[in-house]
Amino acid sequence: GTMTIQLHDTLRGKKVPFEPLKEGEVTMYLCGPTVYNYAHIGNARPAVVFDLLARVLRRHYKLKFARNITDVDDKINQASIDTGKPIDEITARYIKAYNDDMGALGVQPPDVEPRATHHIDEMIAMISALIEKGYAYEAEGHVLFDVTADENYGSLSKRDLREMIAGARVEVAPYKRSAQDFVLWKPSTPELPGWDSPWGRGRPGRHIEGSAMAEKHLGNTIDIHAGGQDLVFPHHENEMAQSTCVHGGAPFARYWVHNGFLSMDSEKMSKSLGNVLLVHDLIEMIPGEVIRLALLNAHYRQPLDWSDETVASARKMLDRFYGAVRGIDVPEDLRRSAEPPAAVIEALEDDINTPKALAEMFNLARRLNKATDDGERQSLAAGLLAAGDLMGLIQQDPEAWFAGGDDGELSADDIEQLLSEREAARANRDFAAADAIRDKLASAGVQIEDSAHGTRWRRG
Ligand code: AMP
């Protein structure tokens, strides 16, 4: 077809047409969690955004999507020391929590979820090859990548290597030749996790796992490498250096896609500010779809500020979508065969333009609300639901959605109870009492609609 997906590529610094290495097939690698704690709402942004990109790609391509798990890391070691719990217990617990929590946000499981500790042999092989090719050196039980051997070092993050070296003020480890040389392998003490290697018992540096696991599962050149903006330097710069150097200059990733950062009430989210919002806690209070929509409501490359208003407006938007499709009986075959509207797809294929896609969904909802012909209403509803399927939204039964208020306000049972009291008041022709109940519901944010078939209610 004429379809072209456009993506903003960090390496080229602009939006470019996407073309996979192999026709009809796409490989994508996303930096996943380091499993020593629950994921916070910022960590959920790349998971949700690139889940959506995966869904968009799967419409046209056979996608192999890898999202790794970092289960060897100094922060995990520290968590084990702090809690007295074995490392395996900590990582197993937070891997499960991550998948459950992301699942609650509608994130589909990736095709492969490689764990760093299951790929130590591949990392050792890659490090050995880098030494052999003259890109790495051993010093005092460490193996370091020699950044001066890579003429392209700095090209992803647009940094000048000589300036970086000259500007290095941190105390440089004595075993490093240049300040910017980074660790591929480091020694472990007997208490710390470690694996035998040609350089003694040790553990991998922070960057080698991505290169080794991408090679193993996706090949030497992958189509899309994704992650948060903070990873561009040093993490992705270093991965690119490792992979391109070990593969004789073959590009590591054809497209580098990075999401912008999420802040909390205009502040950086940080432990010291005490404003770290965990998805695990948030999903107890807010429906997963509201969180997902709030994350998709801003363009993925823009900063996103999280606040009560972010959540409230996402909830309102979903209320409008659910309100539009509510009560429309879409025939099963129409529901299955419906495609998302072209305008929604075009927006998403244009560098994942979710604000535009959502605006198009609103247009559709508006037309649906105005339409009077049953056939037209059904086909518009089917289109809106299909757009929802692609976005990972409107996945609930509308009645269940409107019944599921969880603001600590009136429960669905409370509302039903009030409605039957109102019904009784009306039957007794006590209209003042009936109106009082209506007002009470309205002040609790519950709207009611009377029709020949009874009374319906909704929040918002
Ligand atoms: P980490 O566990 O810190 O390696 O982060 C996992 C993923 O979340 C990476 O892709 C990070 O870039 C991303 N990330 C971390 N903090 C934020 C944030 N505040 N906003 C957006 N993405 C973030």
Side-chain angles (χ1 to χ4, degrees):
T2 53
M3 163 279 309
T4 322
I5 293 176
Q6 308 269 334
L7 286 176
H8 185 278
D9 173 29
T10 305
L11 185 59
R12 276 167 280 199
K14 62 178 180 192
K15 196 161 80 172
V16 289
F18 171 74
E19 212 181 281
L21 186 62
K22 277 196 209 154
E23 205 187 318
E25 291 177 28
V26 175
T27 54
M28 176 158 85
Y29 188 96
L30 171 63
C31 287
T34 305
V35 282
Y36 67 102
N37 197 349
Y38 292 112
H40 58 60
I41 185 66
N43 300 138
R45 192 176 191 194
V48 165
V49 161
F50 298 114
D51 168 69
L52 178 57
L53 177 58
R55 290 162 180 250
V56 170
L57 290 164
R58 285 190 210 280
R59 290 176 45 80
H60 302 287
Y61 301 105
K62 185 171 176 297
L63 173 69
K64 190 166 182 193
F65 177 24
R67 189 186 64 202
N68 73 294
I69 287 174
T70 300
D71 58 353
V72 49
D73 185 275
D74 288 344
K75 286 185 209 135
I76 300 173
N77 301 340
Q78 191 58 47
S80 171
I81 293 164
D82 293 347
T83 61
K85 296 219 165 85
I87 284 178
D88 286 351
E89 193 181 317
I90 294 176
T91 56
R93 175 175 171 195
Y94 290 114
I95 289 168
K96 176 162 187 341
Y98 184 81
N99 285 321
D100 289 350
D101 293 347
M102 294 310 121
L105 306 188
V107 173
Q108 296 173 340
D111 300 290
V112 264
E113 198 170 30
R115 292 175 61 160
T117 53
H118 298 179
H119 295 78
I120 301 290
D121 288 348
E122 287 83 351
M123 295 188 222
I124 291 175
M126 190 174 271
I127 296 168
S128 301
L130 284 167
I131 296 175
E132 224 162 85
K133 292 172 189 246
Y135 292 106
Y137 59 94
E138 188 186 354
E140 297 179 28
H142 293 73
V143 181
L144 292 133
F145 187 93
D146 176 5
V147 290
T148 64
D150 175 13
E151 58 187 17
N152 292 315
Y153 192 80
S155 58
L156 181 65
S157 56
K158 321 285 176 224
R159 287 165 196 239
D160 184 276
L161 181 57
R162 277 163 308 175
E163 279 172 23
M164 275 194 272
I165 291 174
R169 251 180 284 138
V170 278
E171 214 172 290
V172 176
Y175 47 80
K176 283 190 182 183
R177 289 184 196 160
S178 308
Q180 298 300 321
D181 290 354
F182 58 89
V183 170
L184 299 173
W185 189 261
K186 59 188 173 186
S188 277
T189 58
E191 311 78 65
L192 289 172
W195 292 264
D196 290 329
S197 81
W199 320 288
R201 186 175 172 280
R203 58 198 202 279
R206 292 177 47 227
H207 312 294
I208 195 70
E209 65 169 270
S211 290
M213 295 194 287
E215 178 194 74
K216 163 105 186 268
H217 295 281
L218 305 179
N220 290 0
T221 295
I222 61 181
D223 288 310
I224 299 171
H225 197 321
Q229 234 161 37
D230 58 318
L231 300 184
V232 175
F233 188 87
H235 189 51
H236 288 167
E237 189 74 59
N238 292 354
E239 283 187 349
M240 187 169 95
Q242 294 162 165
S243 293
T244 47
C245 291
V246 86
H247 296 140
F252 178 36
R254 290 164 61 78
Y255 304 87
W256 289 90
V257 189
H258 291 105
N259 65 272
F261 242 47
L262 180 145
S263 54
M264 187 61 58
D265 293 316
S266 312
E267 284 189 295
K268 187 177 149 69
M269 206 171 18
S270 78
K271 267 211 184 111
S272 56
L273 288 173
N275 63 354
V276 178
L277 200 52
L278 302 178
V279 176
H280 200 69
D281 297 329
L282 211 52
I283 55 178
E284 294 297 320
M285 304 178 282
I286 303 172
E289 283 194 7
V290 172
I291 302 170
R292 183 178 177 96
L293 197 153
L295 291 170
L296 295 175
N297 204 2
H299 190 267
Y300 79 95
R301 288 200 294 114
Q302 297 301 316
L304 167 60
D305 190 44
W306 192 271
S307 68
D308 288 347
E309 292 82 75
T310 321
V311 176
S313 85
R315 191 190 289 270
K316 254 198 203 138
M317 291 167 79
L318 276 165
D319 281 344
R320 281 179 56 195
F321 292 145
Y322 277 109
V325 296
R326 186 182 198 179
I328 302 177
D329 227 341
V330 182
E332 202 42 42
D333 53 339
L334 177 61
R335 175 74 182 89
R336 264 198 312 269
S337 64
E339 286 285 314
V344 171
I345 294 173
E346 271 163 34
L348 294 176
E349 291 182 352
D350 181 12
D351 197 27
I352 330 176
N353 192 339
T354 50
K356 178 95 191 315
L358 288 165
E360 295 295 348
M361 287 171 69
F362 274 118
N363 285 338
L364 196 60
R366 212 170 293 126
R367 279 170 58 204
L368 176 48
N369 289 337
K370 281 198 194 132
T372 48
D373 176 75
D374 274 352
E376 190 190 357
R377 282 170 60 76
Q378 286 174 3
S379 85
L380 289 169
L384 184 54
L385 290 168
D389 293 343
L390 180 57
M391 296 283 285
L393 301 170
I394 333 180
Q395 298 296 290
Q396 289 184 41
D397 176 69
E399 298 304 328
W401 171 264
F402 286 112
D406 49 9
D407 295 281
E409 296 168 0
L410 290 178
S411 72
D413 282 350
D414 294 340
I415 296 169
E416 295 295 345
Q417 175 65 31
L418 284 166
L419 285 180
S420 56
E421 284 169 23
R422 177 170 169 268
E423 204 54 47
R426 295 211 303 176
N428 291 332
R429 307 193 64 79
D430 184 354
F431 297 113
D435 285 349
I437 293 172
R438 174 187 279 267
D439 291 347
K440 180 172 177 178
L441 286 164
S443 66
V446 177
Q447 310 300 325
I448 57 181
E449 252 172 66
D450 294 312
S451 78
H453 309 292
T455 304
R456 295 200 317 193
W457 59 273
R458 63 184 168 84
R459 295 180 196 273

